[in-house]
Amino acid sequence: MKFTIYKDKAGEFRFRIVATNGNVLAASEGYKAKASAQGAIDRIKSDASGATVVDETTATA
């Protein structure tokens, strides 16, 4: 897996999380500064291993 940082048409920095097969798994919001996009990547890399999974597909009616 890898993160790719790019500039969108509006000139904002965004990143994608790309699987080893080239599929885009997630895309970010736009950031005015490249450092902000990199900071978001760093937070994901440090926090993701402890993330929980919340299943919101079951209805509780």
Side-chain angles (χ1 to χ4, degrees):
M1 238 177 14
K2 65 183 175 183
F3 290 85
T4 60
I5 298 176
Y6 65 98
K7 252 187 175 179
D8 66 14
K9 291 179 183 178
E12 292 190 323
F13 293 94
R14 295 177 179 266
F15 65 85
R16 295 182 184 108
I17 301 173
V18 182
T20 54
N21 66 1
N23 288 341
V24 175
L25 302 175
S28 75
E29 63 184 354
Y31 296 90
K32 299 277 185 213
K34 186 176 181 180
S36 297
Q38 183 63 56
I41 290 169
D42 293 342
R43 284 188 303 281
I44 291 168
K45 289 170 72 174
S46 69
D47 295 347
S49 65
T52 59
V53 176
V54 178
D55 183 355
E56 296 183 346
T57 63
T58 56
T60 55

